[in-house]
């Protein structure tokens, strides 16, 4: 990711959720190399790797599925931002998880928790930190998915949460474009993370299309170019382009047919 080293010197404070693994950890690895040396604060239940803590990444333990937990740590986040003045602030809403199975066969609590983490936590953090973002300048990166572009039978709630992030991000981009705050919606396809394990698979049921590092590099380039949305990976872009031309009901049936082929035993 050396191509990003000199990309931007204005960021002085970064707040990221879910930086302990996967795409979130790759964001930390990328941002820590920026010449401006931004301070990074991770929010999650799990600590990031010791090597990042040794390099100054701050960790605030927080269960992002609980609104009261977010309220508890907001003062600490604001203090962290104030401790690193002189530049822009970047919020990366990366935490999220999915689930696989028909809606009526899965525990309702799982889907409600998914909505809390994938949707409500993003809105909650953005709402609390937006005054700082407007005051200092900066941006928000929301990690969605290519699932945001069509309904996803057998992953119905997950796809809907990512569709929310897609629509919400674009609307915020328009609202905030004159206030010094940019918003980017990142839409990766299948990536080499623990996503499928968290969704209930012992191993990935499909070939992953890319690595977390590749997703982050393309995302950060899009952010610095002030884009509103980026679909990472050539084949993902092709797939999204084709599906966008088809009727929604047909796309839903095609999506459902594909997902049923990877049904767990």
């Amino acid at each position: 990711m050396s191509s990003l080293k000199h990309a931007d010197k204005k960021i002085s404070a970064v707040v990221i959720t879910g930086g302990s693994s996967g795409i979130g950890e790759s964001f930390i690895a990328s941002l820590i190399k920026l010449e401006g040396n931004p301070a990074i604060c991770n929010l999650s239940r799990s600590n990031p790797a010791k090597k990042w803590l040794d390099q100054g990444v701050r960790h605030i333990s927080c269960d992002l599925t609980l609104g009261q937990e977010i309220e508890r740590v907001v003062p600490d986040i604001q203090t962290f931002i104030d401790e690193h003045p002189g530049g822009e602030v970047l919020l990366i809403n990366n935490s999220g998880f999915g689930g696989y199975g028909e809606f009526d066969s899965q525990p309702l609590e799982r889907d409600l928790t998914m909505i809390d983490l994938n949707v409500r936590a993003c809105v909650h953090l953005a709402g609390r930190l937006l005054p700082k973002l407007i005051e200092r300048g900066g941006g928000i990166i929301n990690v969605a998915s290519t699932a945001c572009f069509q309904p996803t039978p057998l992953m119905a709630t997950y796809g809907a949460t990512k569709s929310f992030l897609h629509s919400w991000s674009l609307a915020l981009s328009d609202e905030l474009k004159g206030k010094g705050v940019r918003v980017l919606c990142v839409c990766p396809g299948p990536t080499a993370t623990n996503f499928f394990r968290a969704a209930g698979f012992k191993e990935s049921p499909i070939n992953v299309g890319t690595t977390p590092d590749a997703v982050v590099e393309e995302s950060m380039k899009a952010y610095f170019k002030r884009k509103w949305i980026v679909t990472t990976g050539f084949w993902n872009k092709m797939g999204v382009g084709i599906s966008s031309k088809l009727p929604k009901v047909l796309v839903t049936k095609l999506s459902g047919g594909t997902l049923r082929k990877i049904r767990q035993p």
Side-chain angles (χ1 to χ4, degrees):
M1 299 187 191
S2 58
S3 61
L4 297 178
K5 185 175 180 181
H6 303 283
D8 200 314
K9 300 180 182 180
K10 295 181 181 179
I11 301 173
S12 62
V14 178
V15 178
I16 182 170
T17 66
S20 58
S21 64
I23 292 174
E25 184 174 18
S26 289
F27 267 116
I28 290 178
S30 174
L31 291 162
I32 212 164
K33 295 176 183 178
L34 291 181
E35 190 170 305
N37 192 29
I40 301 172
C41 177
N42 173 66
L43 304 178
S44 65
R45 290 182 296 183
S46 303
N47 290 338
K50 184 177 182 297
K51 64 180 179 179
W52 305 127
L53 296 174
D54 290 344
Q55 293 184 61
V57 173
R58 186 177 302 183
H59 174 67
I60 297 177
S61 181
C62 177
D63 186 344
L64 294 163
T65 66
L66 303 174
Q68 62 267 33
E69 277 281 287
I70 294 176
E71 284 297 307
R72 177 182 64 81
V73 301
V74 162
D76 295 332
I77 300 170
Q78 293 173 332
T79 297
F80 163 79
I81 293 172
D82 291 339
E83 287 173 350
H84 302 282
E88 296 183 344
V89 179
L90 174 60
L91 169 64
I92 304 176
N93 284 313
N94 167 73
S95 283
F97 75 95
Y100 182 88
E102 294 178 350
F103 179 72
D104 65 353
S105 68
Q106 303 299 312
L108 178 60
E109 188 60 35
R110 183 205 66 174
D111 282 43
L112 296 176
T113 301
M114 192 186 302
I115 293 169
D116 284 338
L117 182 60
N118 295 10
V119 174
R120 187 195 49 74
C122 300
V123 177
H124 198 157
L125 281 171
R128 290 300 188 206
L129 299 184
L130 195 54
K132 293 286 185 185
L133 290 167
I134 293 174
E135 175 188 344
R136 296 260 297 267
I140 302 170
I141 296 177
N142 293 318
V143 179
S145 164
T146 51
C148 76
F149 295 108
Q150 70 282 313
T152 51
L154 299 184
M155 302 183 75
T157 300
Y158 172 76
T161 64
K162 296 306 183 179
S163 291
F164 174 92
L165 282 184
H166 172 238
S167 177
W168 182 61
S169 297
L170 292 176
L172 286 186
S173 293
D174 186 74
E175 288 183 17
L176 298 173
K177 62 185 179 183
K179 298 181 180 180
V181 178
R182 54 191 189 258
V183 182
L184 172 68
C185 181
V186 176
C187 303
T191 307
T193 68
N194 65 353
F195 172 85
F196 287 106
R197 187 173 299 241
F201 293 89
K202 292 182 179 179
E203 58 185 29
S204 174
I206 59 175
N207 293 326
V208 296
T210 188
T211 64
D213 286 352
V215 170
V216 168
E217 181 160 12
E218 194 169 351
S219 299
M220 293 307 300
K221 287 179 179 177
Y223 177 77
F224 292 129
K225 290 179 180 179
R226 300 183 177 272
K227 292 185 177 181
W228 289 14
I229 186 169
V230 59
T231 301
T232 60
F234 174 79
W235 292 111
N236 292 325
K237 290 182 176 68
M238 291 290 291
V240 168
I242 293 171
S243 66
S244 67
K245 307 297 183 184
L246 300 175
K248 257 326 184 217
V249 172
L250 176 58
V251 171
T252 302
K253 292 179 179 179
L254 292 172
S255 174
T258 300
L259 288 169
R260 286 184 178 90
K261 290 179 182 178
I262 63 171
R263 181 184 291 274
Q264 295 167 290

